[in-house]
Amino acid sequence: MKRVIFNQKGGVGKSSITVNLAAVAAASGRKVAVIDLDPQGNASQYLLGPDWVSAEGESIYDFFESTLSFRLHPPGLDTALQSTPYDNLYVVPAHPELPALHAKLEAKHKIYKLKEALDALEDIDDVFIDTPPALNFFSLSALVAADSCLVPFDCDEFAKQALLSLVETLQETQADHNPGLILEGVVVNQFSARAKLPQQIVASLEAESIPVCEVRLPSSVVMRESHQAHQPLVHFAPKHKLTDAFQALWQGLNSGSESVR
């Protein structure tokens, strides 16, 4: 299963959700790969530590650069997969120079290369793709490659309007490039159960038939603490309520029962 975590709005927790869902899946015994397409490299840093840029091994930059010239046997993503400190969890790290390839990749219509490479990736049960907060070549490549899309969402009116625009983007991608792509669910992040506004906004999304995941991710300082420690929550704070929420979210997604159809 290939999932892309995407929202054109920044600061909604894409990398945190990507890494923590991937870590929970890996801890359950599945073999999991995180693909980091965001030049900021937050997911890469979360998993590999502060020296992720200088870490040995290839990155997603090397993969995309290799697609710019014809090769009879082009290298796949397997050469860029790096181990993390956690069993069953691997990452293809981002690179700060990734934007330098954008225009070249777009000009040569390399939009399907990530999909081809992921389809050829062996011995991986689940793929989670972290994306930049923009609709560009890299995020579109992820949408073309993915089976489903998870949309992180913080509960305010501006985020709602951005989400409605994003749904149109997904529908256009379905029509033009990836008819099998589904909106698996909107992941409500930093949710305050006691506040009325978040509940009202979530209810308005459901009223418009937008699939909203039943599990809400509560706000907690433990998330920032896990960032600082470079440890996903399932390892950093295994008994915390936010960790429990990620585990419940993963169980629902993995069973196919989490999304509202």
Side-chain angles (χ1 to χ4, degrees):
M1 185 69 173
K2 299 182 289 293
R3 291 180 171 91
V4 55
I5 292 76
F6 176 60
N7 193 325
Q8 292 164 260
K9 188 175 184 291
V12 293
K14 287 188 298 296
S15 300
S16 296
I17 291 171
T18 299
V19 170
N20 281 290
L21 278 177
V24 168
S28 74
R30 298 178 69 82
K31 198 168 182 180
V32 181
V34 171
I35 313 296
D36 192 355
L37 298 183
D38 188 349
Q40 297 179 78
N42 290 336
S44 302
Q45 183 174 345
Y46 202 171
L47 289 170
L48 298 177
D51 298 325
W52 65 276
V53 176
S54 59
E56 295 182 3
E58 296 183 5
S59 70
I60 196 67
Y61 179 97
D62 299 289
F63 165 74
F64 276 119
E65 185 182 43
S66 73
T67 70
L68 290 171
S69 57
F70 175 77
R71 302 185 186 187
L72 191 60
H73 301 290
L77 278 172
D78 53 335
T79 61
L81 271 180
Q82 296 190 25
S83 298
T84 72
Y86 313 104
D87 291 343
N88 302 319
L89 185 55
Y90 302 84
V91 60
V92 176
H95 195 280
E97 297 300 319
L98 198 56
L101 297 177
H102 188 280
K104 297 176 184 178
L105 292 164
E106 204 166 45
K108 291 196 172 186
H109 310 290
K110 301 296 185 178
I111 201 71
Y112 290 98
K113 291 300 180 182
L114 180 63
K115 173 179 173 54
E116 293 169 1
L118 287 176
D119 287 346
L121 201 58
E122 297 181 347
D123 300 325
I124 294 292
D125 298 311
D126 294 284
V127 173
F128 292 86
I129 310 172
D130 192 20
T131 54
L135 182 62
N136 60 17
F137 173 87
F138 299 110
S139 53
L140 184 56
S141 289
L143 292 171
V144 168
D147 300 309
S148 72
C149 179
L150 293 172
V151 180
F153 179 77
D154 50 5
C155 294
D156 64 48
E157 187 61 27
F158 294 147
K160 178 184 173 183
Q161 296 306 315
L163 175 60
L164 296 177
S165 175
L166 187 150
V167 170
E168 293 181 0
T169 297
L170 293 180
Q171 291 171 338
E172 185 176 357
T173 304
Q174 286 174 322
D176 293 346
H177 302 287
N178 184 2
L181 178 67
I182 64 167
L183 174 54
E184 190 171 12
V186 172
V187 180
V188 179
N189 194 24
Q190 300 188 48
F191 183 73
S192 177
R194 296 182 179 180
K196 290 184 178 180
L197 181 61
Q199 296 183 36
Q200 292 171 349
I201 292 178
V202 170
S204 70
L205 294 179
E206 293 173 334
E208 297 189 46
S209 300
I210 293 176
V212 180
C213 295
E214 292 182 11
V215 174
R216 319 292 196 232
L217 301 177
S219 178
S220 175
V221 70
V222 75
M223 179 64 82
R224 292 190 180 93
E225 293 171 347
S226 77
H227 293 166
Q228 186 175 25
H230 308 291
Q231 294 181 32
L233 288 167
V234 71
H235 301 287
F236 180 75
K239 296 182 179 181
H240 195 274
K241 65 177 182 179
L242 185 53
T243 308
D244 291 341
F246 271 107
Q247 290 175 326
L249 177 60
W250 165 246
Q251 289 169 3
L253 293 170
N254 195 38
S255 68
S257 64
E258 182 56 51
S259 299
V260 178
R261 298 299 182 183

